[in-house]
Amino acid sequence: MSNLKISFKTEKELQEAILQEKTRGTPDLEIGQKYGVTYRYIERLITKSKGINVSALNVSKKVKTLYPKNFEEEQTSVWSFKQRGKWATHSGEYRGNWSPYIPRNVILKYAKPGELVLDYFCGAGTTAVESKLLGRRCFALDINDKAIELAKKNVDFEIDDKGQQIYEPKLFVDDARDLSFLQDNSVDLICSHPPYANIIHYTDSKEGDLSFFDIDDFLKEMSKVARESFRVLKPGRQCAILIGDTRRKKHVISLGFKFINVYLDAGFKLRELVIKRQHNCKTTGFWHANSIKYNFLLLAHEYLPIFEKPKSPVSSNVKKIKVDHNLVAPILEESPLKRKLDEIETSTVWVLPEEDFEKHLNKNVIDRYSNEKGYSTVAFVSHSKDDMNFTETKEQKENGLLFIKSPFLSNNPSYSNIEYYLKEIEKIAKQDLPNTRQDGFLVIQTQDVRIDGHIEPLAKRLIDMLTLDNLWLKEIVVVTKEQANLNTQSPRDYLKIAHQYLLIYEVKK
Ligand SMILES: C[S@@+](CC[C@H](N)C(=O)[O-])C[C@H]1O[C@@H](n2cnc3c(N)ncnc32)[C@H](O)[C@@H]1O
């Protein structure tokens, strides 16, 4: 509590007054100003007194429209929903709930009508509502009885069935780490959204609530969930989970990629790695100014890995292809454009024009991370599918930035290309970093690639590999092109990979 504006005899009286305001629907900002309390204080008070972390009390469940208007299924690896979606009983009241567009897309792609969808982090029941609307069966569970109470209200609506079979979702209190109520190979799709370690607390510290575990312990607990997921899912079927990164001391913690490792270790393959853009990020005013001043980017993306349980036990199918190591010409151009600082991207998603895409990307990286102290670049290029090279340009002593570019990756490389690429990057990082100044940057441009129907998540693999003491991961940036809407085309088996990454490391000596 801070800056109390109205005096109360006891804290209890203050809390009662705040709860009354919440019941009347007074916005948090107004309550904060009137009673001199922080947003965090209000959030904790609600969670403690109501047993559930909601931003509003008494939200109407009256349905105005059952379905989203002009819905088109996503076709690329970048999903972006400007509005979170308000059809049926969906509302943003449950903190940290996901946009209904996510389970809607996942269910339409990976479960047929009548098939069974499992959401073991049910929350307010967004997946269950979508399953009901789309005629899929659904089991949804949550550790918090109050969340299940709310979810039950949310799935309680009528559908004018027009011949479609309707299945009422089954909602119950349980623990995602123990799915013993389900038989092996019995679920058609898992579609779920866990806490992001202890970033938001969902209960007032209920036993088993994973939102009270710090990152390492959270991942350990999630490995139990991943093993159970693998057991209950039918072979050849999908498990889609939304997860995001977090920040500590101005550096990013790649919770998303660590999380992917947990599911891969449980035996899953990666079918897709979708980037979900967030639109509630503040990219103007105070945040914008501070982003530039303190050189950090606002987290504006989350990951939706879509795992797949292999149809049969996994066999190693690494293909050995000879790699030609000849050097070819440099590719990086220095752009004469001089941009103003406030034109620099300030969030972790950079949407650049298709025309001169590489030029814009180079310019952004160099302006932001070389600090006008010089830079050197290494560019990987390939002339054909099975051959790849790299070349170094503009070597200087004591640069502010070492920039490693790999635009070749869209050419569907082989496994051996990838291993060569990873090894070379490790070698370059070790050899060339001594020429980069203390507090300078290493920036690696990379991209996920698809081989034999599965994603090789190269950004994740690079981060797993680059564990040098003098390199601190500062940012994971997603770069994508401004492009025409591809969603009107008929859905294909696989999403088009439409994003690249910039891994930004700070060099500490
Ligand atoms: C990010 S929220 C899910 C939000 C949900 N997708 C929605 O749209 O409402 C994560 C949920 O996980 C629940 N949870 C935490 N630990 C759990 C556990 N061990 N088993 C099941 N649910 C758990 C929390 O109570 C919370 O409701």
Side-chain angles (χ1 to χ4, degrees):
M1 196 185 9
S2 64
N3 296 329
L4 195 57
K5 300 276 171 68
I6 302 175
S7 57
F8 287 91
K9 279 199 193 111
T10 60
E11 182 155 7
K12 195 152 180 275
E13 278 179 20
L14 164 73
Q15 293 180 344
E16 268 159 23
I18 293 174
L19 288 172
Q20 276 169 18
E21 295 276 5
K22 284 297 293 185
T23 313
R24 283 199 289 274
T26 314
D28 288 355
L29 189 67
E30 220 175 278
I31 298 178
Q33 282 165 353
K34 190 164 166 190
Y35 297 92
V37 292
T38 59
Y39 169 84
R40 261 288 215 243
Y41 183 86
I42 304 171
E43 185 182 350
R44 285 208 196 110
L45 173 62
I46 302 275
T47 312
K48 196 168 168 93
S49 59
K50 304 287 171 189
I52 183 168
N53 191 347
V54 285
S55 59
L57 304 173
N58 301 334
V59 173
S60 162
K61 299 289 162 203
K62 217 166 143 202
V63 174
K64 286 202 192 115
T65 166
L66 270 181
Y67 301 101
K69 260 195 207 143
N70 307 325
F71 175 79
E72 283 159 6
E73 248 185 75
E74 295 300 308
Q75 305 287 328
T76 78
S77 62
V78 180
W79 293 9
S80 173
F81 312 111
K82 292 235 161 73
Q83 254 81 45
R84 68 178 314 284
K86 277 199 159 235
W87 63 92
T89 48
H90 296 305
S91 81
E93 73 192 297
Y94 193 57
R95 287 215 206 265
N97 61 359
W98 61 359
S99 156
Y101 282 110
I102 302 173
R104 173 163 284 257
N105 269 286
V106 169
I107 292 168
L108 284 169
K109 284 182 197 305
Y110 303 114
K112 295 191 192 70
E115 287 192 334
L116 177 61
V117 178
L118 170 67
D119 182 354
Y120 37 58
F121 296 111
C122 165
T126 313
T127 310
V129 169
E130 283 307 300
S131 299
K132 176 169 169 175
L133 290 170
L134 294 168
R136 273 70 169 176
R137 291 185 301 130
C138 177
F139 288 166
L141 50 120
D142 198 286
I143 200 83
N144 187 1
D145 52 332
K146 299 287 182 197
I148 291 296
E149 244 173 56
L150 176 60
K152 282 187 173 160
K153 282 189 203 151
N154 283 336
V155 296
D156 184 17
F157 57 86
E158 297 293 315
I159 301 180
D160 176 10
D161 66 4
K162 294 195 188 107
Q164 174 191 293
Q165 177 80 37
I166 294 160
Y167 302 92
E168 290 301 334
K170 296 202 173 28
L171 311 179
F172 44 96
V173 179
D174 216 328
D175 190 330
R177 293 168 296 180
D178 176 6
L179 303 176
S180 49
F181 68 95
L182 286 167
Q183 291 185 346
D184 297 359
N185 308 322
S186 60
V187 171
D188 297 292
L189 169 67
I190 297 172
C191 180
S192 205
H193 179 206
Y196 298 175
N198 51 5
I199 299 173
I200 297 181
H201 295 323
Y202 288 95
T203 65
D204 186 29
S205 140
K206 197 176 265 301
E207 204 189 325
D209 181 351
L210 300 185
S211 70
F212 282 85
F213 288 81
D214 201 3
I215 293 174
D216 288 345
D217 290 331
F218 168 73
L219 292 170
K220 245 185 240 153
E221 296 309 306
M222 280 309 303
S223 69
K224 296 176 191 162
V225 183
R227 279 200 298 274
E228 279 291 79
S229 306
F230 195 81
R231 179 182 69 74
V232 301
L233 196 65
K234 289 180 184 169
R237 303 307 295 264
Q238 288 75 28
C239 166
I241 314 268
L242 187 71
I243 186 79
D245 290 331
T246 181
R247 271 190 185 289
R248 297 263 160 95
K249 295 186 192 143
K250 293 200 210 140
H251 287 84
V252 71
I253 311 278
S254 54
L255 180 59
F257 290 157
K258 288 177 199 284
F259 187 93
I260 290 175
N261 282 339
V262 167
Y263 275 67
L264 295 180
D265 289 348
F268 284 104
K269 301 281 257 176
L270 192 58
R271 183 185 168 105
E272 303 287 355
L273 181 44
V274 172
I275 297 295
K276 152 79 179 34
R277 288 185 63 192
Q278 281 174 305
H279 286 281
N280 53 358
C281 291
K282 303 178 178 68
T283 47
T284 53
F286 172 82
W287 285 104
H288 183 263
N290 278 309
S291 155
I292 290 171
K293 188 166 167 200
Y294 299 111
N295 199 5
F296 74 91
L297 300 173
L298 295 158
L299 291 179
H301 71 279
E302 297 166 286
Y303 307 89
L304 181 74
I306 298 174
F307 300 103
E308 190 166 85
K309 178 167 168 176
K311 281 201 179 113
S312 49
V314 192
S315 62
S316 165
N317 57 352
V318 175
K319 291 176 196 132
K320 291 268 173 258
I321 294 169
K322 200 174 155 287
V323 182
D324 162 16
H325 291 182
N326 290 331
L327 290 181
V328 292
I331 58 154
L332 184 65
E333 292 170 38
E334 262 186 87
S335 165
L337 285 165
K338 198 77 204 144
R339 295 200 322 165
K340 283 187 253 136
L341 259 189
D342 61 2
E343 288 170 25
I344 290 179
E345 305 293 330
T346 56
S347 88
T348 57
V349 179
W350 295 2
V351 184
L352 304 177
E354 183 142 25
E355 204 187 315
D356 289 336
F357 175 82
E358 287 297 325
K359 218 166 166 177
H360 280 96
L361 185 130
N362 296 344
K363 188 82 189 102
N364 243 354
V365 169
I366 291 163
D367 283 358
R368 180 138 202 160
Y369 296 107
S370 72
N371 292 327
E372 299 184 346
K373 306 233 171 68
Y375 60 89
S376 73
T377 68
V378 177
F380 284 80
V381 286
S382 91
H383 334 276
S384 68
K385 189 167 169 289
D386 298 328
D387 127 29
M388 170 182 37
N389 311 283
F390 72 93
T391 179
E392 298 200 36
T393 68
K394 205 167 183 285
E395 193 66 49
Q396 291 179 5
K397 276 261 167 286
E398 283 279 288
N399 285 309
L401 166 70
L402 169 62
F403 186 15
I404 303 180
K405 292 180 60 70
S406 31
F408 71 91
L409 294 167
S410 49
N411 289 347
N412 194 14
S414 62
Y415 286 108
S416 64
N417 275 157
I418 286 171
E419 297 311 319
Y420 165 73
Y421 165 73
L422 291 170
K423 271 204 199 93
E424 284 305 320
I425 289 198
E426 193 178 27
K427 214 155 78 189
I428 293 160
K430 282 184 182 154
Q431 272 168 12
D432 290 7
L433 279 181
N435 295 333
T436 307
R437 305 163 80 99
Q438 157 78 3
D439 294 327
F441 292 96
L442 164 68
V443 176
I444 304 172
Q445 177 193 12
T446 194
Q447 194 181 45
D448 294 332
V449 290
R450 193 187 304 282
I451 306 182
D452 299 338
H454 290 110
I455 295 286
E456 271 296 318
L458 286 183
K460 185 196 82 63
R461 290 205 55 190
L462 280 163
I463 289 176
D464 288 350
M465 182 186 79
L466 285 174
T467 53
L468 304 173
D469 285 346
N470 57 345
L471 280 183
W472 288 25
L473 186 61
K474 184 168 174 62
E475 309 282 0
I476 301 172
V477 175
V478 169
V479 194
T480 181
K481 291 179 186 167
E482 283 165 4
Q483 56 188 346
N485 186 4
L486 291 172
N487 296 347
T488 44
Q489 296 169 8
S490 56
R492 292 170 300 183
D493 272 358
Y494 294 104
L495 298 173
K496 177 178 172 352
I497 298 174
H499 68 280
Q500 304 184 10
Y501 303 87
L502 293 167
L503 310 181
I504 319 264
Y505 287 90
E506 205 168 336
V507 180
K508 299 277 175 197
K509 289 192 171 169

